Amino acid sequence: MIKNRPGNRGEAGWSLIETVFTLFLFGLLFSLCMPAISVIAERVERMLLMQELASRLQLAQTEAMSKETEVTVRLVSAQNEVHIVQNETVLRKIRIPPLYRLTSNYPRQSFVYRETGQVQGGTLSLYSGKRLVGRLVIQVASGLPKVEMVSCAL
């Protein structure tokens, strides 16, 4: 047991001013980091969306080859969705978050995977408002989608 000595009085903890100052510094650092964290989170969200779309397109291609039938991919801009269709039956719907808009350079905003897995080459473009933030390039003949993220200043 340590006895109180005259020099140790009042040094057992933090004062109110030290606590308030420490909390103020943590709040200031947090407020300075938040914009950077939100930008990183938005980029990750876009990348995940583009990669999910690419994997769903590869699945549509595989389905066309395995069932030896055509599979159509349609961009339904009114619903902000991508529909994967086989024999006029919607197999899958991919919802695009409301913050984004997906367009393509395909006629009638649709393209077809043939029984062999081949497709006409083209590009799907992802926009956030009016700003292009990503592209999904569908390669000629092989039909494999390639994700290209567009880096731009906010």
Side-chain angles (χ1 to χ4, degrees):
M1 183 169 172
I2 300 174
K3 295 183 179 183
N4 282 340
R5 295 187 184 152
N8 286 343
R9 288 191 195 158
E11 295 183 21
W14 291 15
S15 70
L16 180 61
I17 292 174
E18 291 170 330
T19 305
V20 169
F21 184 70
T22 302
L23 290 174
F24 171 76
L25 286 178
F26 280 132
L28 182 64
L29 287 173
F30 182 74
S31 67
L32 291 174
C33 292
M34 273 311 292
I37 291 170
S38 66
V39 167
I40 291 170
E42 184 181 329
R43 285 182 186 161
V44 168
E45 178 188 40
R46 283 194 310 254
M47 182 56 111
L48 289 174
L49 174 64
M50 295 299 283
Q51 287 176 345
E52 177 188 1
L53 192 56
S55 68
R56 295 288 179 100
L57 292 178
Q58 285 178 327
L59 185 62
Q61 180 185 33
T62 303
E63 196 148 359
M65 291 186 304
S66 66
K67 293 184 179 177
E68 296 181 353
T69 184
E70 291 183 347
V71 174
T72 304
V73 178
R74 292 185 187 138
L75 276 64
V76 184
S77 41
Q79 298 170 354
N80 210 22
E81 292 179 341
V82 176
H83 293 181
I84 298 175
V85 180
Q86 180 183 19
N87 299 327
E88 296 307 315
T89 303
V90 177
L91 301 175
R92 273 173 228 86
K93 291 181 183 181
I94 306 163
R95 300 252 336 124
I96 307 300
L99 177 65
Y100 302 108
R101 178 176 50 91
L102 192 65
T103 64
S104 77
N105 64 347
Y106 287 104
R108 297 181 305 276
Q109 299 294 299
S110 69
F111 57 95
V112 178
Y113 281 104
R114 304 287 176 211
E115 298 87 354
T116 59
Q118 292 181 327
V119 67
Q120 177 185 357
T123 304
L124 303 177
S125 301
L126 184 69
Y127 289 90
S128 177
K130 293 183 178 183
R131 185 173 47 113
L132 177 67
V133 293
R135 275 190 219 101
L136 192 64
V137 178
I138 300 170
Q139 299 172 356
V140 177
S142 73
L144 294 175
K146 177 184 168 195
V147 174
E148 294 178 358
M149 297 309 292
V150 177
S151 62
C152 56
L154 290 176

